[in-house]
């Protein structure tokens, strides 16, 4: 999951307002230079008075990682709100009886059941009155492969292929200034968000502390992201920044800054900075510890298995798998597959990551050495053309190909769209690409991100990264003029530790505190930060 946010003063920029009825509440942090207590809350969801004031750290330039931060964050301890039990309404499943006619068709008993959603007041037939054997078989087969996750709900909830841009839709207030697939799904989406909030303790804690001052009051936040219940707003690969730079470069004069969370997006920002073309300050959230470890490593360790199971029902034991790239994403994928009994190979260009793979018990190979024998190919590099047509031609029949890296650039899917190859859609997000000799490969999500297209991302992990993004965004927006130059900045260690501390109460975890003597011996502040910026977790 990656996020990029651009903030600008409302009075300074003309951007189309796309805020919906229930926009997510902002999270608080206070710039040290102003000494304000920043808080914001949605009164409809959170009760109680605001907590004690919190202060925000000042991010440090990546070029000066070893120097002290211009500001410091000393957050007050937050008592975590106890998550209330929330129930998700499910429609009654009243099955009917069926019988076989003499002509071989299958007919339902005269009783007809209807399902009605209380919020949407929509009715539809549970089954057709009469259906042929072949159609019934196809229907059962399809239902057995459907995913009931929120991800599937957003991608497969409607068979209307009309472009959202061609629709005239209104929300409950009569406002039509938005572009989404189906506004009638708003109530369902709101329930999904409420469920997700139960696993996002830090974000909810920051919201609760935001009842007083509004840290983003007057700001317009423009984002580009994979839409899920957990993100609810937030970019992938710096696409928004790239788009503004190419199409509307003058707009940068009105933009306060950029928050970027993806590997590719950060790489683009550093390229712009090196060329002297970066027009505003940018926060590199991708290289924060909370992003690298929790979003990349722990999240992908779970979602890789989830995505493959949902789409292919493959059994992992004994399967030969090659994972391209042994960064944090690759490490998570390899650990999960190894635990399931798979034989895992790794490809890597970095000798340090390669040595880590060897020490972790994986065999380091070149892709062309194993491409004929592996059952599953997974890309995790963030690069382009990692799996090209040459490798695709040499794969064995039934090989599963998927991407856990960035966008759809790692697998050369365009090379497969040729007249001699046949594409067969098996189920949602699953295509068989068939060669003239009958060989077929199983391509998942057309080369896009597997964990975002075919599975769900753990909500708890997104709470960690989204909280980091919110703090970085607020810091940029509230920073006094001149604090940040036109460069790329890293988040201070103190902010990472603060975000982590907000999630510990979920586990009933209790931190050990240093004594004055111990803190003096280590040369540390008792309240942190506890590690230098160069420390590798």
């Amino acid at each position: 999951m990656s996020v990029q946010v651009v903030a600008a003063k409302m009075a300074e920029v003309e951007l189309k307002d796309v805020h919906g009825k229930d926009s997510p509440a902002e999270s608080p942090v206070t710039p040290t230079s102003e000494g304000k207590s920043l808080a914001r809350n949605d009164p409809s969801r959170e009760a109680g008075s605001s907590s004690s004031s919190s202060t925000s750290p000042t991010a440090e330039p990546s070029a000066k990682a070893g120097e002290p931060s211009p500001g410091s964050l000393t957050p007050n301890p937050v008592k975590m709100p106890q998550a209330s039990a929330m129930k998700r309404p499910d429609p009654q499943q009243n099955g009917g009886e069926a019988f076989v006619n003499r002509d071989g068709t299958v007919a339902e008993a005269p009783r007809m059941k209807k399902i009605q959603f209380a919020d949407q007041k929509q009715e539809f037939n549970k089954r057709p009155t009469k259906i042929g054997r072949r159609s019934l078989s196809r229907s059962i087969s399809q239902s057995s492969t459907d995913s009931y996750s929120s991800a599937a709900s957003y991608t497969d909830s409607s068979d209307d292929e009309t472009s959202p841009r061609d629709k005239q839709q209104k929300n409950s207030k009569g406002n039509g200034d938005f572009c989404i697939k189906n506004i009638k799904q708003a109530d369902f989406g709101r329930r999904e968000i409420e469920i997700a909030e139960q696993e996002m303790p830090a974000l909810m804690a920051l919201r609760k502390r935001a009842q007083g001052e509004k840290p983003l009051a007057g700001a317009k936040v423009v984002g580009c992201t994979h839409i899920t219940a957990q993100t609810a707003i937030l970019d992938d690969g710096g696409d928004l920044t790239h788009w503004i730079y190419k199409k509307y470069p003058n707009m940068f004069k009105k933009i306060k800054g950029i928050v970027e969370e993806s590997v590719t997006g950060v790489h683009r920002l550093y390229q712009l900075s090196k060329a002297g073309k970066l027009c505003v300050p940018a926060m590199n959230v991708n290289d924060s510890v909370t992003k690298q470890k929790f979003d990349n490593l722990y999240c992908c360790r779970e979602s890789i298995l989830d995505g493959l199971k949902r789409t292919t029902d493959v059994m992992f034991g004994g399967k030969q798998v090659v994972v391209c790239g042994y960064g944090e994403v690759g490490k998570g994928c390899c650990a999960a597959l190894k635990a399931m009994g798979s034989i895992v190979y790794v490809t890597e260009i970095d000798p340090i990551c390669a040595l880590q793979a060897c020490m972790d018990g994986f065999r380091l190979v070149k892709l062309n050495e194993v491409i004929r024998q592996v059952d599953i190919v997974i890309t995790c590099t963030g690069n382009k053309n990692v799996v090209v047509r040459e490798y695709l031609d040499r794969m064995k029949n039934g090989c599963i190909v998927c991407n856990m890296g960035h966008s759809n650039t790692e697998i050369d899917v365009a090379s497969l769209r040729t007249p001699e190859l046949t594409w067969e859609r098996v189920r949602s997000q699953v295509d068989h690409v068939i060669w003239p000799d009958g060989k077929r490969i199983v391509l998942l999500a057309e080369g896009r991100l597997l964990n975002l297209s075919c599975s769900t991302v753990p909500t708890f992990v997104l709470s960690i990264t989204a909280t980091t993004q919110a703090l970085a965004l607020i810091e940029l927006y509230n920073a006094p003029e001149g604090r940040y130059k036109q460069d790329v900045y890293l988040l201070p260690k103190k902010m990472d530790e603060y975000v982590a501390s907000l999630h510990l109460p979920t586990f009933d975890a209790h931190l050990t505190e240093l004594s004055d003597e111990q803190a003096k011996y280590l040369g540390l502040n008792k309240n942190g930060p506890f590690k230098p910026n160069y420390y590798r977790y």
Side-chain angles (χ1 to χ4, degrees):
M1 168 65 196
S2 58
V3 176
Q4 158 194 328
V5 181
V6 180
K9 290 286 187 182
M10 181 174 293
E12 298 176 349
V13 59
E14 293 296 329
L15 292 177
K16 190 172 184 181
D17 190 2
V18 294
H19 293 294
K21 161 183 168 184
D22 290 308
S23 299
E26 296 88 346
S27 306
V29 72
T30 307
T32 53
S33 62
E34 299 179 12
K36 294 191 291 185
S37 170
L38 299 180
R40 183 169 194 172
N41 184 34
D42 183 348
S44 64
R45 294 198 213 142
E46 302 289 351
S49 60
S50 60
S51 304
S52 57
S53 303
S54 63
T55 55
S56 157
T58 301
E60 303 182 20
S62 55
K64 302 179 181 179
E67 297 184 9
S69 169
S72 62
L73 172 67
T74 310
N76 293 329
V78 182
K79 185 175 180 180
M80 302 303 296
Q82 185 174 358
S84 59
M86 304 193 71
K87 296 183 179 180
R88 184 177 181 180
D90 290 321
Q92 295 289 337
Q93 301 294 332
N94 296 325
E97 298 179 355
F99 58 89
V100 181
N101 294 324
R102 293 183 179 179
D103 58 1
T105 61
V106 178
E108 193 179 24
R111 181 178 54 172
M112 180 92 65
K113 294 295 181 183
K114 292 186 176 181
I115 300 175
Q116 182 176 12
F117 288 100
D119 293 337
Q120 296 173 300
K121 304 300 183 184
Q122 294 179 346
E123 295 185 354
F124 57 90
N125 293 337
K126 185 177 180 182
R127 288 188 192 172
T129 311
K130 195 171 184 179
I131 186 170
R133 281 184 181 273
R134 184 181 300 273
S135 299
L136 178 61
S137 174
R138 186 184 300 115
S139 175
I140 294 175
S141 175
Q142 176 63 32
S143 65
S144 68
T145 62
D146 283 343
S147 169
Y148 294 92
S149 69
S150 59
S153 300
Y154 287 113
T155 57
D156 304 325
S157 60
S158 173
D159 57 2
D160 185 2
E161 298 299 330
T162 306
S163 171
R165 293 181 176 83
D166 299 331
K167 293 181 179 180
Q168 295 295 327
Q169 304 184 80
K170 299 287 184 181
N171 62 16
S172 60
K173 294 184 177 180
N175 181 20
D177 189 17
F178 58 85
C179 180
I180 63 173
K181 187 171 183 179
N182 187 358
I183 189 61
K184 295 179 181 179
Q185 294 291 324
D187 290 335
F188 168 78
R190 174 52 54 190
R191 291 195 297 271
E192 289 286 296
I193 292 172
E194 289 172 351
I195 292 172
E197 287 174 351
Q198 305 309 304
E199 273 281 291
M200 306 184 85
L203 213 54
M204 298 304 101
L206 291 180
R207 173 191 288 177
K208 190 171 183 178
R209 298 179 66 178
Q211 292 179 342
E213 299 183 24
K214 309 295 190 291
L216 292 176
K220 282 203 172 183
V221 179
V222 183
C224 173
T225 184
H226 303 275
I227 299 299
T228 66
Q230 294 86 356
T231 59
I233 47 168
L234 303 169
D235 164 358
D236 189 32
D239 292 335
L240 178 60
T241 302
H242 183 72
W243 178 74
I244 294 177
Y245 182 80
K246 293 293 184 182
K247 298 288 186 180
Y248 307 99
N250 291 332
M251 188 177 290
F252 277 111
K253 297 177 182 178
K254 304 174 183 179
I255 293 177
K256 292 276 290 183
I258 300 167
V259 175
E260 177 57 54
E261 199 209 28
S262 71
V263 175
T264 307
V266 167
H267 179 66
R268 287 176 173 177
L269 289 176
Y270 279 118
Q271 285 180 324
L272 289 173
S273 178
K274 186 177 181 179
K277 297 180 180 180
L278 186 61
C279 306
V280 294
M283 287 285 191
N284 172 6
V285 177
N286 177 73
D287 291 320
S288 63
V289 178
T290 47
K291 168 63 166 64
Q292 288 289 322
K293 288 295 180 183
F294 297 95
D295 191 14
N296 292 357
L297 176 61
Y298 298 120
C299 175
C300 293
R301 190 173 66 183
E302 296 193 16
S303 59
I304 180 62
L305 301 180
D306 184 25
L308 287 171
K309 278 290 187 184
R310 288 176 189 250
T311 52
T312 66
D313 299 317
V314 65
M315 186 169 185
F316 298 107
K319 292 292 192 298
Q320 296 190 60
V321 184
V322 59
V323 176
C324 301
Y326 202 66
E328 298 295 347
V329 174
K331 287 181 175 71
C333 293
C334 288
L337 292 164
K338 181 180 180 181
M340 297 300 293
S342 298
I343 302 167
V344 183
Y345 304 96
V346 172
T347 71
E348 181 55 68
I349 62 171
D350 187 328
I352 296 177
C353 293
L355 182 58
Q356 286 181 313
C358 293
M359 295 297 290
D360 288 338
F362 302 109
R363 183 182 171 192
L364 190 74
V365 298
K366 291 184 177 180
L367 187 56
N368 61 358
E369 297 172 352
V370 297
I371 197 63
R372 291 185 182 276
Q373 67 195 58
V374 293
D375 303 290
I376 305 174
V377 178
I378 304 171
T379 57
C380 311
T381 69
N383 206 339
K384 63 180 294 186
N385 295 335
V386 177
V387 178
V388 294
R389 177 62 185 269
E390 174 191 353
Y391 296 140
L392 294 164
D393 286 336
R394 295 169 57 192
M395 290 177 183
K396 71 179 187 180
N397 184 49
C399 183
I400 300 170
V401 186
C402 63
N403 170 40
M404 288 285 288
H406 167 65
S407 190
N408 60 347
T409 60
E410 304 210 23
I411 302 169
D412 188 8
V413 177
S415 69
L416 297 176
R417 302 190 184 279
T418 55
E420 72 273 13
L421 300 183
T422 303
W423 283 62
E424 180 181 283
R425 174 55 59 97
V426 180
R427 60 175 73 161
S428 176
Q429 307 292 356
V430 182
D431 290 289
H432 283 185
V433 183
I434 307 170
W435 270 250
D437 62 357
K439 183 198 88 169
R440 63 180 64 200
I441 65 170
V442 182
L443 180 63
L444 303 183
E446 298 184 36
R448 298 185 300 274
L449 285 170
L450 176 72
N451 58 336
L452 297 179
S453 301
C454 306
S455 70
T456 57
V457 177
T459 304
F460 186 81
V461 169
L462 284 179
S463 175
I464 296 172
T465 56
T467 303
T468 306
Q469 296 151 16
L471 291 172
L473 176 62
I474 294 169
E475 166 62 22
L476 265 184
Y477 184 68
N478 290 278
E481 194 73 26
R483 174 179 290 178
Y484 298 110
K485 309 299 182 184
Q486 297 174 351
D487 203 351
V488 182
Y489 292 82
L490 291 172
L491 295 176
K493 189 75 64 177
K494 185 66 178 177
M495 185 177 288
D496 271 325
E497 293 177 355
Y498 177 47
V499 173
S501 68
L502 290 176
H503 289 84
L504 289 177
T506 302
F507 304 99
D508 192 25
H510 305 277
L511 280 173
T512 300
E513 297 181 3
L514 289 174
S515 66
D516 292 336
E517 183 181 358
Q518 289 174 322
K520 183 178 179 180
Y521 178 77
L522 294 175
L524 298 175
N525 186 311
K526 289 180 63 175
N527 298 317
F530 300 98
K531 298 290 189 298
N533 288 327
Y534 54 81
Y535 182 82
R536 302 296 181 186
Y537 287 83

